[in-house]
Amino acid sequence: MLILTRKLGEGINIGDDIKIIIMQIKGKQVRLGIKADSDIKIHREEVYKKLVEEPQADQQMPTQP
């Protein structure tokens, strides 16, 4: 894991296509801005976990006759 320190308005580049910018710092919360091509899907972690779990739950449900 790479750990970086950034100040308000500073950013981090991931490859050539993704940039993360520190937009706001308020107490223990940090607001991030993410610039990426529209074909790149970006989800909060809890949303991503649900999206990954849904197909698995559908496969485990028994079919009714």
Side-chain angles (χ1 to χ4, degrees):
M1 176 185 301
L2 175 63
I3 300 173
L4 301 171
T5 301
R6 300 278 76 202
K7 294 179 183 176
L8 188 63
E10 293 182 336
I12 299 166
N13 287 4
I14 300 174
D16 296 329
D17 301 326
I18 301 172
K19 183 169 186 171
I20 300 172
I21 304 164
I22 307 304
M23 303 298 291
Q24 182 180 32
I25 302 170
K26 190 176 182 180
K28 292 185 178 183
Q29 289 187 333
V30 177
R31 181 170 284 185
L32 303 173
I34 303 171
K35 290 184 180 181
D37 291 339
S38 60
D39 62 331
I40 297 175
K41 296 178 182 178
I42 301 170
H43 302 286
R44 293 188 324 257
E45 183 178 23
E46 63 274 13
V47 172
Y48 180 77
K49 285 180 180 179
K50 285 183 182 181
L51 291 171
V52 170
E53 291 172 1
E54 283 179 6
Q56 294 173 358
D58 291 343
Q59 292 174 1
Q60 293 175 0
M61 295 183 89
T63 58
Q64 296 194 6

